[in-house]
Amino acid sequence: MRARKLAWSVVMATSLAAPAAFAASAAAQPAAPVKAPACDPTRTEPEYRGKVPSPEQVLGIELGERQVTAAESDRYLETVAARSERVVSGTLARSAQGRPLKYAIVGEPGLLSKAGLAKVRSDAARLRDPRTPDALARRIAERGVPILWVSGNVHGDEPSGTDAALQVLRDLGDRTDCAAANVLENALVIVLPTQNPDGREANTRQNAYGFDMNRDWFARTQPETDGKLAMLNQYPPQLYIDAHEMGGDSYFFPPNADPIYHETPEEAVGWINDLYGAAMAAEFTRQGIDFFNRDVYDLFYQGYGDTVPTTAFHAAGMTFEKGGDSPYPDRFREQYLTQWVTLSQAAANRQRILTQWRKMAVDAYRQGRAGKLEPNRIYNPPNQVDRPVPDRAVRHYFLRADDRSKRAEVRTIVRRLQRMGVRVELLSRPLTVPDYKAYGRAEARTTLPAGTYWIPMAQVQKHWVQAMLNEDSYTPFPYFYDVTAWSLPLLGNVSGGSSGAELRPRASSVPALREESAAVARHGGKPKIGVLQLSDTSSAARQSAGWLRHRLDREWRLPFSLLKPADVAAGKLAGVEVLLVPNGPAATAYGQLGAAGQAALREWTRDGGRYVGWQGGTELAARLGLTTAQLSEPTSDVPGTLFRVNVDRESPLAGGVGATAWQFYSYDLVMRQPDPAKVAVRYPAADSPDWFVSGFERGAAELGGTAAVVDEPVGEGRTVLFGGEPNFRAFTDGTAKLLANAILGPDPRPGAAALAAPAPSGAAAAKAAALPQAESPIRVSVKAADAARTAALMRSVGARWAERRGGDAVHYVIDNPRGLPADRHPFAGRLAAEIRRSGITPIAVTLP
């Protein structure tokens, strides 16, 4: 399953459609009629010519008997490619641990020559180019083939999509019957059996660095994602299948749940819902296989294996989820069925798909030229749009390059845009913009200097430009599976803005930028760094530490020692100058430190050590008495949002950052520091002009004036504590620079009163010790009047919780000690529906 943070957030009077029951029978899922091809794809008896060895001949098993290993997948793929003239193979990337990501391209032999593949790529480029004459585009649509991708196993512990993809590869490589011939004659198919070979071998969701790679698509921080997108740009898809597993034994395929991102092309939604979704529903109904749709899995956050192919390539991005509680042969069979039915439908509708794909490109260009943003829509009534897209023309985006300290961040954004086919230009003369809207500010007449990057919306990638450079994601209504803010300029803390005016800039095209090593400013030499991972079993700890290891290893190239709490107790802090303590369960780590480890950390800091912590690491510092900052649970509902914060320009953390930054926030602890001299970064007052939020929030004004980062002397040492994650998924580059300065920068000037000695019995430590402890918690917020009924409902499903009240709301934090994602949890997946069925209108239900 996606296992992304799933949130149903219902703001008072907002109405949500009741979700389809996870165990609903297939008969209860009506399907729109689909024209069956003359040769039925699922009822045609397969006929093999025998050129390709069976899986049993190569691997000793038939596919579906058990999951194949990553090496076995590679071996069978290469065997098929070697024995079938319909298949060529290659490696599109190597994983973090060096394993290959093997792919196969399948089609008629004439297409697979160097010239044939070049023509497929050329035809795709011409169809996507609005300048291509209509007559030529029609000829290509009549004679060309769509590019169809089948991928699996982006989560390493969801294996069945890989085996099914290998079966598809074998069938297309060797079958001679009409069902296989229809696909071969009318499509080019690219099979990527496993997107995460390291995770497959380790049976972990994440890759070797702890990244959930179904969140990494727009940032492409991981080599596996980067290589995949590089090839997708060579072979842009009209269909991208992303095969997952979830809990239970049902099957999910689209139509998706609301919300759907507003820049998702309508024709692509039509393919997803009415062409492919309807065909699968009809086949599953015919065979009596249980399935559901229009629930749980949305099409909103632009980091998934369905949203990015849809928004960036105008493809039908399709998430398939099979219940992992089913026997493995059933999982394999149903994954194969969805892949085969979908490929067959695409082949049967070849000309329609290419024609509409062309139309999407032309429409995107025309929308961009007119400055028209797509509106928010609801696809599953009775849901209603809670927040419309503003009625403001947007014809241009600009990225300012006149701050030399932000050069690397600006160029990183430009390179990311270019690598997705976005046209970027450079102003050769100053440009006066009458309605320039800097991010988070009001429109104002502004003259932009020469050297500013200009990204016109009048281009085929208009949807992707808006997705990446937006000021806000304009969440249509409050249901979120994952984060709600991801704007590249905000993540990078880069100055820029937009305009709806009709402008004629003097500008030149920017040549493709090369990747640059991320330089970090150093004060003196490299310090000896320790990374204290608070838990081996906590998903939050593994991910936060993994994101940090990636940043240290691959970008900053700073060596470090990885420590556990027991190592601290054993005296292994000796020689460490900077200790980095990422997120994780603070109470567990505090207990594992024991008296010896707790004393060692206090003594190490007091004697000159630099303790840099965030989230759970901040809570641990407070428990140890290493700060006077007081922590409290939030009473707001913020599922993953960017807030502008003010940076103290006198702080050593401010180097290269500027007066403001953008803090990613997701139900983090609220941090209050009574001594203003110890606050390095602060949330603005909620009623000030600096207050700006990109993404969803309810009640976030409680953050106004609180600390985002505190910097406090402790004896001869120092603690730098972040309330939120400064290195979220390794793509919050703006706050990562604050972190780099905390590691490598100088100490602050004297001014703040130092803790002469850590005070584990002080007020801050006492408040931290009283915080509720929950791994991957489930959060429920309701009106006070509904609290009793809500508590009774949660009690009936076996929930255990901590409770807090704020205003007219009651907030429940439900423990999830095994850290299970929503779809694998015994009751989390149905909790929102149960609450609604009880007649309760929740403020928010947020699931892990």
Side-chain angles (χ1 to χ4, degrees):
M1 59 168 284
R2 283 186 177 171
R4 53 200 187 201
K5 184 173 65 178
L6 169 59
W8 281 274
S9 227
V10 188
V11 180
M12 299 310 178
T14 301
S15 171
L16 286 180
F22 281 85
S25 68
Q29 305 284 332
V34 176
K35 181 181 178 182
C39 173
D40 191 280
T42 62
R43 283 178 273 191
T44 298
E45 188 68 25
E47 297 175 5
Y48 294 93
R49 55 185 179 165
K51 291 185 71 172
V52 173
S54 71
E56 186 173 24
Q57 291 172 309
V58 178
L59 305 177
I61 59 163
E62 288 297 341
L63 293 170
E65 290 181 18
R66 61 158 172 83
Q67 69 182 67
V68 299
T69 66
E72 287 173 332
S73 173
D74 292 347
R75 192 188 337 154
Y76 193 66
L77 183 149
E78 292 292 6
T79 299
V80 176
R83 300 293 290 273
S84 176
E85 75 283 5
R86 305 172 186 170
V87 181
V88 295
S89 64
T91 298
L92 58 79
R94 292 210 168 252
S95 70
Q97 293 181 336
R99 292 185 176 89
L101 271 72
K102 295 280 188 180
Y103 68 86
I105 303 178
V106 191
E108 289 195 309
L111 279 181
L112 298 183
S113 65
K114 186 175 180 179
L117 291 175
K119 185 176 187 307
V120 171
R121 296 194 298 269
S122 173
D123 284 351
R126 287 178 172 180
L127 285 177
R128 294 192 84 196
D129 188 345
R131 298 168 300 179
T132 299
D134 289 342
L136 175 57
R138 281 195 297 272
R139 287 198 298 274
I140 294 172
E142 289 169 1
R143 303 171 187 173
V145 293
I147 302 170
L148 315 177
W149 280 68
V150 179
S151 68
N153 204 202
V154 73
H155 294 143
D157 59 354
E158 299 173 7
S160 58
T162 294
D163 304 70
L166 291 172
Q167 183 64 48
V168 167
L169 175 62
R170 185 216 177 175
D171 284 1
L172 293 178
D174 203 50
R175 276 171 59 172
T176 58
D177 53 83
C178 63
N182 283 341
V183 176
L184 288 165
E185 292 167 5
N186 291 287
L188 187 78
V189 179
I190 300 179
V191 180
L192 178 61
T194 179
Q195 302 169 78
N196 183 5
D198 294 350
R200 188 178 185 91
E201 286 305 290
N203 194 34
T204 58
R205 178 174 311 283
Q206 296 91 1
N207 74 346
Y209 271 109
F211 281 74
D212 182 334
M213 291 191 297
N214 200 35
R215 308 294 183 276
D216 186 50
W217 276 69
F218 78 81
R220 46 200 301 184
T221 68
Q222 301 305 288
E224 300 95 327
T225 317
D226 188 65
K228 178 170 54 186
L229 277 161
M231 188 164 175
L232 276 160
N233 275 280
Q234 289 186 58
Y235 293 93
Q238 286 82 43
L239 169 69
Y240 190 92
I241 293 171
D242 194 18
H244 294 249
E245 293 184 17
M246 60 181 180
D249 57 9
S250 188
Y251 202 107
F252 168 85
F253 47 75
N256 297 87
D258 289 317
I260 293 176
Y261 186 60
H262 70 94
E263 288 293 329
T264 305
E266 280 300 297
E267 288 84 357
V269 175
W271 293 347
I272 292 168
N273 291 357
D274 304 327
L275 181 62
Y276 303 124
M280 288 182 287
E283 187 60 31
F284 272 54
T285 299
R286 184 185 74 79
Q287 295 196 30
I289 302 172
D290 186 54
F291 71 94
F292 71 95
N293 49 36
R294 298 187 185 275
D295 191 23
V296 181
Y297 303 102
D298 63 25
L299 202 63
F300 187 67
Y301 167 60
Q302 298 296 297
Y304 301 141
D306 53 8
T307 55
V308 172
T310 305
T311 307
F313 297 103
H314 305 168
M318 307 277 287
T319 288
F320 296 162
E321 299 267 1
K322 171 56 188 169
D325 294 344
S326 296
Y328 201 73
D330 290 350
R331 288 145 66 186
F332 161 78
R333 182 174 67 90
E334 292 174 30
Q335 295 275 32
Y336 171 80
L337 182 62
T338 52
Q339 293 175 19
W340 191 254
V341 166
T342 307
L343 292 174
S344 300
Q345 276 296 309
N349 291 272
R350 175 189 61 79
Q351 188 171 341
R352 167 192 166 185
I353 287 170
L354 292 178
T355 300
Q356 289 185 332
W357 199 59
R358 160 71 177 177
K359 180 179 181 297
M360 282 187 269
V362 173
D363 286 350
Y365 172 80
R366 290 173 176 167
Q367 289 174 13
R369 188 174 58 188
K372 175 180 171 52
L373 299 182
E374 293 270 24
N376 272 329
R377 293 183 174 89
I378 288 298
Y379 293 85
N380 302 304
N383 298 336
Q384 297 177 1
V385 171
D386 179 70
R387 188 180 182 198
V389 175
D391 186 16
R392 173 180 179 262
V394 179
R395 288 185 169 90
H396 320 272
Y397 278 100
F398 300 94
L399 297 174
R400 298 191 64 148
D402 46 341
D403 183 346
R404 292 180 63 84
S405 66
K406 303 287 182 67
R407 179 182 183 274
E409 290 91 336
V410 174
R411 288 174 66 86
T412 293
I413 294 170
V414 170
R415 184 171 185 270
R416 283 177 177 166
L417 294 171
Q418 288 179 323
R419 297 187 72 209
M420 294 297 284
V422 174
R423 178 167 58 92
V424 180
E425 303 212 7
L426 198 68
L427 297 185
S428 54
R429 292 186 181 180
L431 176 69
T432 299
V433 182
D435 64 339
Y436 181 71
K437 190 176 190 313
Y439 287 108
R441 304 292 184 186
E443 291 183 10
R445 185 177 182 86
T446 304
T447 298
L448 298 173
T452 297
Y453 291 100
W454 166 47
I455 303 93
M457 291 284 270
Q459 55 180 305
V460 69
Q461 284 294 66
K462 174 258 182 178
H463 301 304
W464 187 246
V465 171
Q466 176 63 19
M468 293 297 97
L469 301 183
N470 68 81
E471 179 175 273
D472 198 311
S473 57
Y474 309 119
T475 49
F477 84 109
Y479 168 112
F480 318 107
Y481 205 124
D482 203 70
V483 304
T484 67
W486 56 81
S487 170
L488 288 178
L490 305 191
L491 292 172
N493 194 26
V494 165
S495 295
S498 61
S499 166
E502 295 191 40
L503 304 171
R504 299 288 184 269
R506 293 286 188 92
S508 58
S509 181
V510 178
L513 299 185
R514 295 182 179 180
E515 185 173 7
E516 298 180 5
S517 297
V520 286
R522 293 190 178 124
H523 176 73
K526 293 182 182 179
K528 185 172 181 182
I529 298 170
V531 173
L532 177 58
Q533 183 170 324
L534 297 186
S535 169
D536 288 331
T537 58
S538 159
S539 178
R542 289 198 308 270
Q543 289 194 95
S544 186
W547 302 337
L548 175 63
R549 289 189 293 108
H550 171 269
R551 185 76 77 168
L552 293 170
D553 280 344
R554 291 183 171 248
E555 293 194 31
W556 295 342
R557 294 178 173 83
L558 294 174
F560 62 92
S561 300
L562 189 62
L563 304 173
K564 299 179 181 180
D567 296 326
V568 175
K572 294 187 179 179
L573 277 179
V576 172
E577 298 170 273
V578 177
L579 183 66
L580 306 179
V581 190
N583 192 24
T588 301
Y590 186 83
Q592 291 177 347
L593 283 168
Q598 295 162 20
L601 258 178
R602 294 187 190 107
E603 181 179 354
W604 174 85
T605 308
R606 182 197 64 204
D607 290 348
R610 186 180 294 189
Y611 181 113
V612 182
W614 50 97
Q615 297 175 295
T618 292
E619 185 182 341
L620 179 63
R623 279 175 166 261
L624 290 165
L626 297 176
T627 180
T628 54
Q630 297 192 2
L631 307 175
S632 60
E633 277 276 295
T635 58
S636 56
D637 287 294
V638 184
T641 296
L642 287 162
F643 290 78
R644 181 161 46 214
V645 289
N646 293 326
V647 180
D648 179 0
R649 297 298 294 268
E650 299 300 314
S651 167
L653 302 185
V657 175
T660 61
W662 295 88
Q663 175 65 54
F664 182 86
Y665 181 92
S666 180
Y667 288 103
D668 296 311
L669 296 174
V670 179
M671 186 161 57
R672 294 178 173 87
Q673 171 52 261
D675 184 353
K678 296 176 180 177
V679 178
V681 183
R682 184 185 299 277
Y683 290 95
D687 59 355
S688 78
D690 280 347
W691 178 264
F692 188 82
V693 183
S694 176
F696 179 86
E697 62 83 16
R698 288 295 184 272
E702 69 169 337
L703 293 172
T706 66
V709 187
V710 298
D711 191 348
E712 184 166 9
V714 180
E716 298 297 318
R718 173 184 172 200
T719 57
V720 182
L721 304 177
F722 296 76
E725 168 70 71
N727 185 41
F728 185 74
R729 295 178 182 164
F731 58 52
T732 53
D733 294 335
T735 47
K737 183 173 277 191
L738 291 168
L739 176 59
N741 291 339
I743 299 169
L744 300 169
D747 289 325
R749 297 173 185 170
L755 277 167
S761 59
K767 287 200 73 170
L771 290 169
Q773 300 295 311
E775 170 69 19
S776 302
I778 302 155
R779 297 176 183 271
V780 177
S781 299
V782 297
K783 288 182 178 180
D786 292 324
R789 284 189 297 160
T790 304
L793 170 63
M794 294 193 306
R795 209 174 287 116
S796 73
V797 298
R800 299 174 61 188
W801 65 84
E803 177 182 326
R804 68 186 190 280
R805 293 176 180 259
D808 187 38
V810 179
H811 305 270
Y812 302 95
V813 181
I814 303 170
D815 194 17
N816 178 15
R818 293 173 58 196
L820 295 173
D823 284 355
R824 300 194 182 194
H825 192 279
F827 64 80
R830 68 177 192 274
L831 188 58
E834 294 287 349
I835 288 172
R836 289 194 296 272
R837 277 195 285 270
S838 297
I840 300 165
T841 300
I843 297 170
V845 180
T846 305
L847 307 183

